[in-house]
Amino acid sequence: MQRLLFLACLFLLPLGVTASPIAGHWRFVPERSTDLSPWRTYDLTITVEGNQVTLVRELAAGRRTFADTTRLDTTLPVNVVPASYWPDNRHLGAYMGGDKTRRVRSEWIDGGRLLRLSTDVTLTTQQGDRAVNILSDYKVSANGAQLTLTELRSTRNRPVVYVFRRLTAEEMAKPQATGRSE
């Protein structure tokens, strides 16, 4: 009887809910990526629970740190996400403007191996407010060990490419080094 129960479980396991291949803890690989300026480190955690996707970014350089959480419902046509700060390329003199929100549209592609986001933000610059669209593709490799984030910004001609590697449980237990003290 126990043998029969074991065999039934063995055959039924593949039919159960499988974890999203993109979900996990990821660490930025600088030598394979676009310059992260002004940051030195970037950890990304992605969780997927049904139609809910949560992206947690942790950026650091010396004593400066920034973390934000983006929660998305992939069934909504647009998610409105509060954003009081724009950490990308801070040295350009562009800051979160408008109503301090991001409007994010999301879709799954390639059986959940690629999450595509289209984000509309208003940035404030010395010349005034500027509407910006950012197309972001989060794509996990076939073996699940690498995540590539490709961003196309309406204000840039060249894409920004960030490569991440999946962290082990042992690596997640250790604190992330942030680089030189500044």
Side-chain angles (χ1 to χ4, degrees):
M1 183 64 168
Q2 288 178 345
R3 203 182 227 176
L4 186 59
L5 183 58
F6 174 75
L7 287 173
C9 289
L10 189 64
F11 286 110
L12 292 175
L13 270 177
L15 300 176
V17 177
T18 59
S20 169
I22 205 167
H25 300 279
W26 304 93
R27 178 150 299 151
F28 178 70
V29 181
E31 60 275 6
R32 300 192 58 217
S33 303
T34 301
D35 184 33
L36 192 57
S37 180
W39 307 102
R40 297 202 190 291
T41 65
Y42 182 172
D43 280 357
L44 175 66
T45 302
I46 301 174
T47 56
V48 179
E49 296 173 353
N51 297 322
Q52 306 296 312
V53 177
T54 304
L55 299 115
V56 178
R57 294 188 300 173
E58 297 176 89
L59 301 160
R63 286 175 263 166
R64 285 189 330 254
T65 61
F66 174 79
D68 72 352
T69 300
T70 302
R71 289 183 178 82
L72 304 170
D73 182 337
T74 59
T75 63
L76 295 176
V78 176
N79 290 268
V80 178
V81 180
S84 60
Y85 181 69
W86 191 65
D88 301 305
N89 296 332
R90 168 178 79 195
H91 59 280
L92 292 178
Y95 304 94
M96 187 57 69
D99 61 0
K100 298 197 182 309
T101 63
R102 293 178 286 150
R103 286 165 174 66
V104 184
R105 291 170 301 289
S106 61
E107 68 175 306
W108 288 107
I109 299 173
D110 194 18
R113 283 190 50 236
L114 189 145
L115 175 64
R116 177 165 292 157
L117 305 181
S118 177
T119 304
D120 294 313
V121 297
T122 300
L123 298 178
T124 297
T125 68
Q126 205 170 24
Q127 294 79 27
D129 283 354
R130 169 124 188 200
V132 176
N133 176 265
I134 305 164
L135 295 175
S136 305
D137 282 353
Y138 294 81
K139 184 176 183 176
V140 69
S141 63
N143 68 2
Q146 178 177 295
L147 177 78
T148 302
L149 167 56
T150 305
E151 289 187 347
L152 296 170
R153 299 178 187 164
S154 60
T155 55
R156 294 179 63 132
N157 292 329
R158 297 179 59 160
V160 174
V161 179
Y162 298 138
V163 176
F164 298 83
R165 66 180 176 79
R166 188 181 295 274
L167 293 179
T168 65
E170 190 175 285
E171 290 173 311
M172 289 186 307
K174 295 178 185 176
Q176 163 76 335
T178 59
R180 294 186 309 228
S181 178
E182 295 177 289

